[in-house]
Amino acid sequence: MSNKRLLKEPTQARTVELPDDPEEPISEDELAVCRRVRALRTERGLTLEALAAKSGFTKGYLSKIENGVKAPPIASLAKIGRALGQDLSSFFLDEGATSPDQEDDARISVVHHWERKPVTRGGTAFGYDYVSLAHKRAHKAMDPFIFTFPSRVDVDQYFQHPGEEFIFVLSGKVAFEVVINGNTRTWTLEAGDCVYFDSDLPHRGHSIDGDAQAMVVVQERSEQDETAAGA
């Protein structure tokens, strides 16, 4: 989910970037992600200005990420990754991920429950918490997370990013919204319910009456897929 505000008009919706929120301290796991953004950018010989032009984010926002001032939402990372030619998992890899001494076969990644990797906390990502479930494997077609919904969201805050997304509610109750052709559709999802959707549709969700968690699987759409879809 990327940090966009949806401004509703009579017949359509458009998005603009959110203004910066007050900075909050971020965790060591989030700092590792921020350092990874800088490392991948410098490996490719890109300046902040060049990455800003390719990703659509401002130089100032990217600088705050790289300096550990802001932890970006997952979909913002996906957008930065696309600009760097990297998939989302590149930001969460442990050192030695998928190496022979960790796994018998790089095609298999086992993550025990005590090995789960928190990557984004609610306070720094608009109320949404993510825990990566496949951080050991590089170059994945899908990125699975355990996701904790906030109890409330900004009235104008929606998220969208290229690709597809699957959400399976594990516990609690969720109000889930998707904007289609300028019209907002809302569903109440309970434990055991699920939704599969194109994540370039503006979307958001929040818990109802207590905590709610879900398994979220994000599949990024390649540039070739987008070209084919638009053909």
Side-chain angles (χ1 to χ4, degrees), residues 22-72:
E23 286 79 12
E24 299 181 23
I26 64 178
S27 70
E28 285 300 319
D29 290 312
E30 290 169 322
L31 282 173
V33 170
C34 293
R35 289 192 292 265
R36 186 68 175 151
V37 172
R38 181 192 293 272
L40 289 171
R41 175 181 63 79
T42 55
E43 283 175 12
R44 279 148 188 77
L46 293 176
T47 63
L48 274 174
E49 291 86 350
L51 181 56
K54 289 171 69 70
S55 67
F57 293 116
T58 65
K59 176 184 174 182
Y61 179 66
L62 293 172
S63 178
K64 287 182 178 180
I65 292 173
E66 290 194 357
N67 287 296
V69 177
K70 275 190 172 295

Side-chain angles (χ1 to χ4, degrees), residues 4 13 32 35 41 49 94 106 133 135 143-144 152 167 172 180 189 209 217 219:
K4 301 282 186 178
R35 289 192 292 265
R41 175 181 63 79
E49 291 86 350
D94 290 336
L133 299 178
H135 55 280
D143 282 285
R152 60 184 179 84
I167 298 175
I180 305 174
L189 304 177
D209 298 329
V217 180
Q219 183 173 30

Side-chain angles (χ1 to χ4, degrees), residues 22-23 29 63 84 90 108 110 114 120-121 147 155 157 182 191 214:
E23 286 79 12
D29 290 312
S63 178
L84 293 169
S90 301
I108 302 171
V110 175
W114 64 84
T120 311
R121 296 171 304 142
F147 180 86
V155 66
Q157 179 189 316

Side-chain angles (χ1 to χ4, degrees), residues 30-173:
E30 290 169 322
L31 282 173
V33 170
C34 293
R35 289 192 292 265
R36 186 68 175 151
V37 172
R38 181 192 293 272
L40 289 171
R41 175 181 63 79
T42 55
E43 283 175 12
R44 279 148 188 77
L46 293 176
T47 63
L48 274 174
E49 291 86 350
L51 181 56
K54 289 171 69 70
S55 67
F57 293 116
T58 65
K59 176 184 174 182
Y61 179 66
L62 293 172
S63 178
K64 287 182 178 180
I65 292 173
E66 290 194 357
N67 287 296
V69 177
K70 275 190 172 295
I74 291 295
S76 295
L77 278 177
K79 193 172 182 181
I80 293 169
R82 286 168 62 83
L84 293 169
Q86 296 289 312
D87 56 39
L88 184 58
S89 62
S90 301
F91 298 106
F92 310 129
L93 288 176
D94 290 336
E95 291 186 8
T98 66
S99 63
D101 61 338
Q102 283 191 317
E103 299 289 352
D104 293 331
D105 193 318
R107 294 171 296 177
I108 302 171
S109 175
V110 175
V111 177
H112 297 284
H113 64 86
W114 64 84
E115 297 178 299
R116 293 177 183 174
K117 189 179 184 69
V119 292
T120 311
R121 296 171 304 142
T124 54
F126 308 99
Y128 297 87
D129 290 341
Y130 293 85
V131 176
S132 177
L133 299 178
H135 55 280
K136 292 183 179 180
R137 175 164 177 160
H139 311 302
K140 300 186 291 292
M142 301 178 293
D143 282 285
F145 302 92
I146 295 293
F147 180 86
T148 301
F149 287 90
S151 59
R152 60 184 179 84
V153 291
D154 187 295
V155 66
D156 293 325
Q157 179 189 316
Y158 284 78
F159 303 92
Q160 59 188 135
H161 52 94
E164 299 176 350
E165 194 165 325
F166 174 77
I167 298 175
F168 182 91
V169 180
L170 299 171
S171 63
K173 186 182 295 186

Side-chain angles (χ1 to χ4, degrees), residues 191-205:
D193 294 342
C194 59
V195 56
Y196 190 113
F197 59 98
D198 285 348
S199 50
D200 54 3
L201 294 171
H203 57 278
R204 67 180 181 181

